[in-house]
Amino acid sequence: MSWHPQYRSSKFRHVFGKPASKENCYDSVPITRSVHDNHFCAVNPHFIAVVTECAGGGAFLVIPLHQTGKLDPHYPKVCGHRGNVLDIKWNPFDDFEIASASEDATIKIWAIPKQLLSRNFTAYRKELVGHARRVGLVEWHPTAANILFSAGYDYKVMVWNLDTKESVIMSPVKTIDCHQDVILSMSFNTNGSLLATTCKDRKIRVLDPRAGTVLQEASYKEHRANKVLFLGNLKKLLSTGTSRWNNRQIALWDQDDLSVPLTEEDLDGSSGVLFPFYDSDTNMLYVVGKGDGNIRYYEVSADKPHLSYLMEYRSYHPQKGIGFMPKRGLDVSTCEIFRFYKLITTKSVIEPISMIVPRRSESYQEDIYPPTAGAQPSLTAREWLSGVNKGPVLVSLRPGSELLSPRPLPPERPPSNSLSPTSPHLVDQTEALVAEDGRRPFSLLEEKAPRWTAEHRLEEKKTWLTNGFDIFECPPPKTENELLQMFYRQQEEIRRLRELVTQREVQAKQLELEIKNLRMSSEWS
């Protein structure tokens, strides 16, 4: 009887890792030498932040994403901690805000200026003081604005509400005190209603983060967990750790029953910690080993076999830590579905690694880019603390789609000066509309300020004038130079009209997503 291997169809079977060229890496970066088991790197579509070596305290670098190549030895640092920085995380809803945890038992919130830093930055926005010992982990809530979680070496998880005017917050809104040892990792489910933790006692716990109660606890002795991760909406947990024979191991759990894992898989005999990363849009799991250069990736399914091995990216350069780019910062034109930023201490280099689906077509691939979590919270801090749960706000990654901005966008043309001093209430409503819509805040103004609307239309009419000529009614050109100028003006007008059409298409797409989000919210509630 002949044996036939069972092949499983998958659009991600041939995903491969592509390291960036040397000129697109970040060179001469003084990466920290700390032995703490953390990522030491945080990335968003604007910046890459990395923990660095610093005398007399803790610091990290914030480098603009486009500033590749060799880093200036005197590049300014973000410094203000009295001890080493152990963890950094960007606010998922504000690309210019970052939280840092330190050995000095404090957490600091920093508002990074949009312009490049010219000297060391020490002006933090908020300081959170509550832990008795050093703080090893910080995590932002995935759907609620201004909610931050921290875990310290005092065995406590603290919940902070940053939606206050105080610059120094002395007490958290909730302290979770159920762990018997140092907390090693934290992970939220999709809507942030559950929190999973691993502890130095090697147990996995699923907590209610608002009540602080333990809902599930793993007492399985065969797997000593180190890191844990919620797998999107699959109602499953993925943990990495070691077996009783000290082999590196990954295990998959049912979040409602942690008595026995659904499946276990031994990887190798190395000693470095395994960092798991999960992409809920593609159901792909990436396992990155600290101290080696490998990145294994799997496809996760709700049915058996739950974990299907795909491939492995191999490199000779070991990673000290690693960061990853949010989905809204990926290059969809190259079919990039994930991007890592690998810290190589032996070369003082940060190397981007793109995970790419090989496709011949250059058009947008809708099947590998479903709507993903955007940069807008679905809840306020007060709503979440009062018990409300909502899923993330979804956005499209299609080129030309305006991603939801972390900060309100100003209107394209401000109202005339005569309106602003006499109608402050109207201006406030305009700003509220900008925050809500992010694109065109003039609908309310057109109802309540017809005079300004006429001025606005006149101003729009003026934009059609170039060097005093109406581009639609100017006389025919008499010389070759005039003809060339006319051609350039018409090309510019065509480009402007195309952008206008694209904006209208994006608005229609975002309205569809808003309807979908409202339906999801009603289902969650």
mmCIF file of all heavy atoms in Angstrom, residues 139-167:
data_model
loop_
_atom_site.group_PDB
_atom_site.id
_atom_site.type_symbol
_atom_site.label_atom_id
_atom_site.label_comp_id
_atom_site.label_asym_id
_atom_site.label_seq_id
_atom_site.Cartn_x
_atom_site.Cartn_y
_atom_site.Cartn_z
ATOM 1 N N GLU A 139 1.443 47.255 28.924
ATOM 2 C CA GLU A 139 0.582 46.898 27.796
ATOM 3 C C GLU A 139 -0.566 47.892 27.729
ATOM 4 O O GLU A 139 -1.200 48.188 28.746
ATOM 5 C CB GLU A 139 0.004 45.483 27.953
ATOM 6 C CG GLU A 139 0.994 44.340 27.743
ATOM 7 C CD GLU A 139 1.391 44.150 26.296
ATOM 8 O OE1 GLU A 139 0.703 44.708 25.418
ATOM 9 O OE2 GLU A 139 2.391 43.450 26.058
ATOM 10 N N TRP A 140 -0.838 48.413 26.513
ATOM 11 C CA TRP A 140 -2.002 49.255 26.294
ATOM 12 C C TRP A 140 -3.221 48.383 26.047
ATOM 13 O O TRP A 140 -3.122 47.313 25.452
ATOM 14 C CB TRP A 140 -1.790 50.167 25.083
ATOM 15 C CG TRP A 140 -0.707 51.179 25.257
ATOM 16 C CD1 TRP A 140 0.615 51.031 24.937
ATOM 17 C CD2 TRP A 140 -0.836 52.512 25.778
ATOM 18 N NE1 TRP A 140 1.310 52.176 25.223
ATOM 19 C CE2 TRP A 140 0.449 53.108 25.734
ATOM 20 C CE3 TRP A 140 -1.915 53.257 26.264
ATOM 21 C CZ2 TRP A 140 0.684 54.415 26.170
ATOM 22 C CZ3 TRP A 140 -1.683 54.551 26.698
ATOM 23 C CH2 TRP A 140 -0.396 55.126 26.652
ATOM 24 N N HIS A 141 -4.373 48.863 26.507
ATOM 25 C CA HIS A 141 -5.613 48.141 26.225
ATOM 26 C C HIS A 141 -5.884 48.180 24.729
ATOM 27 O O HIS A 141 -5.686 49.213 24.079
ATOM 28 C CB HIS A 141 -6.766 48.777 27.005
ATOM 29 C CG HIS A 141 -7.991 47.938 27.034
ATOM 30 N ND1 HIS A 141 -8.923 47.940 26.015
ATOM 31 C CD2 HIS A 141 -8.451 47.035 27.941
ATOM 32 C CE1 HIS A 141 -9.890 47.095 26.299
ATOM 33 N NE2 HIS A 141 -9.640 46.530 27.469
ATOM 34 N N PRO A 142 -6.351 47.076 24.124
ATOM 35 C CA PRO A 142 -6.464 47.027 22.653
ATOM 36 C C PRO A 142 -7.622 47.828 22.070
ATOM 37 O O PRO A 142 -7.598 48.144 20.879
ATOM 38 C CB PRO A 142 -6.647 45.533 22.373
ATOM 39 C CG PRO A 142 -7.219 44.970 23.630
ATOM 40 C CD PRO A 142 -6.638 45.777 24.744
ATOM 41 N N THR A 143 -8.650 48.155 22.859
ATOM 42 C CA THR A 143 -9.799 48.878 22.290
ATOM 43 C C THR A 143 -10.168 50.143 23.052
ATOM 44 O O THR A 143 -10.818 51.026 22.487
ATOM 45 C CB THR A 143 -11.048 47.966 22.241
ATOM 46 O OG1 THR A 143 -11.373 47.546 23.575
ATOM 47 C CG2 THR A 143 -10.807 46.760 21.368
ATOM 48 N N ALA A 144 -9.792 50.270 24.317
ATOM 49 C CA ALA A 144 -10.166 51.434 25.127
ATOM 50 C C ALA A 144 -9.029 52.450 25.145
ATOM 51 O O ALA A 144 -7.860 52.088 25.303
ATOM 52 C CB ALA A 144 -10.515 51.007 26.552
ATOM 53 N N ALA A 145 -9.378 53.704 25.004
ATOM 54 C CA ALA A 145 -8.367 54.765 25.015
ATOM 55 C C ALA A 145 -7.905 55.041 26.439
ATOM 56 O O ALA A 145 -8.684 54.968 27.396
ATOM 57 C CB ALA A 145 -8.952 56.042 24.399
ATOM 58 N N ASN A 146 -6.617 55.350 26.569
ATOM 59 C CA ASN A 146 -6.025 55.830 27.825
ATOM 60 C C ASN A 146 -6.077 54.822 28.971
ATOM 61 O O ASN A 146 -6.076 55.201 30.142
ATOM 62 C CB ASN A 146 -6.690 57.140 28.277
ATOM 63 C CG ASN A 146 -6.433 58.276 27.312
ATOM 64 O OD1 ASN A 146 -5.307 58.479 26.867
ATOM 65 N ND2 ASN A 146 -7.478 59.017 26.965
ATOM 66 N N ILE A 147 -6.133 53.537 28.649
ATOM 67 C CA ILE A 147 -6.045 52.495 29.676
ATOM 68 C C ILE A 147 -4.728 51.753 29.480
ATOM 69 O O ILE A 147 -4.454 51.231 28.399
ATOM 70 C CB ILE A 147 -7.226 51.509 29.593
ATOM 71 C CG1 ILE A 147 -8.539 52.205 29.944
ATOM 72 C CG2 ILE A 147 -6.998 50.319 30.506
ATOM 73 C CD1 ILE A 147 -8.683 52.601 31.384
ATOM 74 N N LEU A 148 -3.916 51.730 30.549
ATOM 75 C CA LEU A 148 -2.594 51.100 30.487
ATOM 76 C C LEU A 148 -2.472 50.083 31.618
ATOM 77 O O LEU A 148 -2.894 50.344 32.753
ATOM 78 C CB LEU A 148 -1.502 52.168 30.617
ATOM 79 C CG LEU A 148 -0.050 51.691 30.502
ATOM 80 C CD1 LEU A 148 0.280 51.331 29.059
ATOM 81 C CD2 LEU A 148 0.912 52.752 31.004
ATOM 82 N N PHE A 149 -1.859 48.948 31.303
ATOM 83 C CA PHE A 149 -1.591 47.911 32.298
ATOM 84 C C PHE A 149 -0.083 47.819 32.524
ATOM 85 O O PHE A 149 0.699 47.944 31.572
ATOM 86 C CB PHE A 149 -2.106 46.550 31.816
ATOM 87 C CG PHE A 149 -3.588 46.375 31.952
ATOM 88 C CD1 PHE A 149 -4.468 47.142 31.202
ATOM 89 C CD2 PHE A 149 -4.116 45.447 32.836
ATOM 90 C CE1 PHE A 149 -5.837 46.985 31.309
ATOM 91 C CE2 PHE A 149 -5.492 45.283 32.959
ATOM 92 C CZ PHE A 149 -6.349 46.049 32.202
ATOM 93 N N SER A 150 0.306 47.596 33.767
ATOM 94 C CA SER A 150 1.728 47.417 34.087
ATOM 95 C C SER A 150 1.883 46.242 35.036
ATOM 96 O O SER A 150 1.000 45.977 35.861
ATOM 97 C CB SER A 150 2.307 48.686 34.721
ATOM 98 O OG SER A 150 1.671 48.966 35.955
ATOM 99 N N ALA A 151 2.997 45.533 34.905
ATOM 100 C CA ALA A 151 3.302 44.397 35.782
ATOM 101 C C ALA A 151 4.685 44.610 36.372
ATOM 102 O O ALA A 151 5.637 44.899 35.634
ATOM 103 C CB ALA A 151 3.244 43.083 34.999
ATOM 104 N N GLY A 152 4.788 44.491 37.696
ATOM 105 C CA GLY A 152 6.053 44.750 38.368
ATOM 106 C C GLY A 152 6.603 43.531 39.072
ATOM 107 O O GLY A 152 5.953 42.479 39.156
ATOM 108 N N TYR A 153 7.797 43.699 39.608
ATOM 109 C CA TYR A 153 8.440 42.628 40.369
ATOM 110 C C TYR A 153 7.893 42.545 41.792
ATOM 111 O O TYR A 153 8.403 41.774 42.609
ATOM 112 C CB TYR A 153 9.955 42.852 40.383
ATOM 113 C CG TYR A 153 10.646 42.337 39.136
ATOM 114 C CD1 TYR A 153 10.347 42.860 37.880
ATOM 115 C CD2 TYR A 153 11.579 41.316 39.203
ATOM 116 C CE1 TYR A 153 10.967 42.389 36.737
ATOM 117 C CE2 TYR A 153 12.207 40.827 38.066
ATOM 118 C CZ TYR A 153 11.892 41.376 36.831
ATOM 119 O OH TYR A 153 12.506 40.892 35.703
ATOM 120 N N ASP A 154 6.856 43.342 42.092
ATOM 121 C CA ASP A 154 6.138 43.187 43.355
ATOM 122 C C ASP A 154 4.961 42.232 43.197
ATOM 123 O O ASP A 154 4.085 42.167 44.071
ATOM 124 C CB ASP A 154 5.640 44.550 43.845
ATOM 125 C CG ASP A 154 4.858 45.311 42.778
ATOM 126 O OD1 ASP A 154 4.653 44.753 41.693
ATOM 127 O OD2 ASP A 154 4.471 46.459 43.036
ATOM 128 N N TYR A 155 4.936 41.492 42.047
ATOM 129 C CA TYR A 155 3.945 40.465 41.738
ATOM 130 C C TYR A 155 2.554 41.058 41.507
ATOM 131 O O TYR A 155 1.558 40.345 41.617
ATOM 132 C CB TYR A 155 3.857 39.395 42.845
ATOM 133 C CG TYR A 155 5.176 38.833 43.303
ATOM 134 C CD1 TYR A 155 5.289 38.196 44.543
ATOM 135 C CD2 TYR A 155 6.324 38.918 42.517
ATOM 136 C CE1 TYR A 155 6.492 37.674 44.984
ATOM 137 C CE2 TYR A 155 7.525 38.400 42.943
ATOM 138 C CZ TYR A 155 7.609 37.794 44.178
ATOM 139 O OH TYR A 155 8.812 37.281 44.611
ATOM 140 N N LYS A 156 2.458 42.318 41.153
ATOM 141 C CA LYS A 156 1.169 42.970 40.984
ATOM 142 C C LYS A 156 0.993 43.466 39.551
ATOM 143 O O LYS A 156 1.948 43.915 38.920
ATOM 144 C CB LYS A 156 1.021 44.152 41.947
ATOM 145 C CG LYS A 156 0.971 43.740 43.418
ATOM 146 C CD LYS A 156 0.880 44.965 44.317
ATOM 147 C CE LYS A 156 0.862 44.539 45.792
ATOM 148 N NZ LYS A 156 0.822 45.721 46.687
ATOM 149 N N VAL A 157 -0.255 43.370 39.075
ATOM 150 C CA VAL A 157 -0.647 43.996 37.813
ATOM 151 C C VAL A 157 -1.515 45.196 38.156
ATOM 152 O O VAL A 157 -2.494 45.067 38.906
ATOM 153 C CB VAL A 157 -1.428 43.019 36.908
ATOM 154 C CG1 VAL A 157 -1.914 43.730 35.646
ATOM 155 C CG2 VAL A 157 -0.569 41.829 36.534
ATOM 156 N N MET A 158 -1.149 46.369 37.635
ATOM 157 C CA MET A 158 -1.886 47.591 37.939
ATOM 158 C C MET A 158 -2.547 48.136 36.676
ATOM 159 O O MET A 158 -1.952 48.110 35.590
ATOM 160 C CB MET A 158 -0.964 48.641 38.550
ATOM 161 C CG MET A 158 -0.444 48.255 39.925
ATOM 162 S SD MET A 158 0.457 49.576 40.741
ATOM 163 C CE MET A 158 0.826 48.790 42.323
ATOM 164 N N VAL A 159 -3.780 48.625 36.853
ATOM 165 C CA VAL A 159 -4.562 49.197 35.761
ATOM 166 C C VAL A 159 -4.601 50.711 35.961
ATOM 167 O O VAL A 159 -5.035 51.188 37.018
ATOM 168 C CB VAL A 159 -5.991 48.630 35.739
ATOM 169 C CG1 VAL A 159 -6.734 49.115 34.495
ATOM 170 C CG2 VAL A 159 -5.971 47.104 35.792
ATOM 171 N N TRP A 160 -4.152 51.455 34.946
ATOM 172 C CA TRP A 160 -4.046 52.914 35.060
ATOM 173 C C TRP A 160 -5.002 53.587 34.090
ATOM 174 O O TRP A 160 -5.109 53.181 32.929
ATOM 175 C CB TRP A 160 -2.617 53.372 34.745
ATOM 176 C CG TRP A 160 -1.564 52.724 35.590
ATOM 177 C CD1 TRP A 160 -0.916 51.550 35.313
ATOM 178 C CD2 TRP A 160 -1.035 53.191 36.830
ATOM 179 N NE1 TRP A 160 -0.011 51.262 36.303
ATOM 180 C CE2 TRP A 160 -0.056 52.249 37.253
ATOM 181 C CE3 TRP A 160 -1.288 54.317 37.623
ATOM 182 C CZ2 TRP A 160 0.659 52.412 38.434
ATOM 183 C CZ3 TRP A 160 -0.570 54.478 38.796
ATOM 184 C CH2 TRP A 160 0.390 53.529 39.200
ATOM 185 N N ASN A 161 -5.665 54.621 34.577
ATOM 186 C CA ASN A 161 -6.502 55.465 33.739
ATOM 187 C C ASN A 161 -5.753 56.775 33.488
ATOM 188 O O ASN A 161 -5.556 57.576 34.410
ATOM 189 C CB ASN A 161 -7.844 55.736 34.428
ATOM 190 C CG ASN A 161 -8.761 56.607 33.593
ATOM 191 O OD1 ASN A 161 -8.456 56.908 32.428
ATOM 192 N ND2 ASN A 161 -9.871 57.029 34.161
ATOM 193 N N LEU A 162 -5.313 56.979 32.247
ATOM 194 C CA LEU A 162 -4.520 58.172 31.910
ATOM 195 C C LEU A 162 -5.380 59.354 31.518
ATOM 196 O O LEU A 162 -4.852 60.426 31.202
ATOM 197 C CB LEU A 162 -3.557 57.843 30.756
ATOM 198 C CG LEU A 162 -2.652 56.624 30.952
ATOM 199 C CD1 LEU A 162 -1.720 56.477 29.765
ATOM 200 C CD2 LEU A 162 -1.853 56.736 32.233
ATOM 201 N N ASP A 163 -6.693 59.163 31.534
ATOM 202 C CA ASP A 163 -7.608 60.231 31.129
ATOM 203 C C ASP A 163 -7.855 61.189 32.300
ATOM 204 O O ASP A 163 -8.987 61.382 32.753
ATOM 205 C CB ASP A 163 -8.917 59.621 30.630
ATOM 206 C CG ASP A 163 -9.771 60.634 29.889
ATOM 207 O OD1 ASP A 163 -9.252 61.725 29.582
ATOM 208 O OD2 ASP A 163 -10.955 60.349 29.632
ATOM 209 N N THR A 164 -6.779 61.747 32.814
ATOM 210 C CA THR A 164 -6.851 62.717 33.916
ATOM 211 C C THR A 164 -5.912 63.874 33.607
ATOM 212 O O THR A 164 -5.027 63.775 32.745
ATOM 213 C CB THR A 164 -6.441 62.084 35.253
ATOM 214 O OG1 THR A 164 -5.052 61.672 35.168
ATOM 215 C CG2 THR A 164 -7.297 60.871 35.591
ATOM 216 N N LYS A 165 -6.094 64.966 34.338
ATOM 217 C CA LYS A 165 -5.241 66.136 34.143
ATOM 218 C C LYS A 165 -3.966 66.062 34.981
ATOM 219 O O LYS A 165 -3.063 66.882 34.803
ATOM 220 C CB LYS A 165 -6.017 67.413 34.487
ATOM 221 C CG LYS A 165 -7.194 67.680 33.555
ATOM 222 C CD LYS A 165 -7.906 68.968 33.923
ATOM 223 C CE LYS A 165 -9.079 69.222 32.978
ATOM 224 N NZ LYS A 165 -9.805 70.477 33.336
ATOM 225 N N GLU A 166 -3.886 65.123 35.882
ATOM 226 C CA GLU A 166 -2.712 65.019 36.756
ATOM 227 C C GLU A 166 -1.495 64.568 35.959
ATOM 228 O O GLU A 166 -1.572 63.668 35.132
ATOM 229 C CB GLU A 166 -2.986 64.024 37.886
ATOM 230 C CG GLU A 166 -4.205 64.353 38.733
ATOM 231 C CD GLU A 166 -4.555 63.219 39.686
ATOM 232 O OE1 GLU A 166 -3.756 62.261 39.766
ATOM 233 O OE2 GLU A 166 -5.618 63.286 40.321
ATOM 234 N N SER A 167 -0.357 65.194 36.236
ATOM 235 C CA SER A 167 0.886 64.784 35.576
ATOM 236 C C SER A 167 1.555 63.629 36.307
ATOM 237 O O SER A 167 2.311 62.860 35.712
ATOM 238 C CB SER A 167 1.852 65.968 35.473
ATOM 239 O OG SER A 167 2.154 66.461 36.757
#
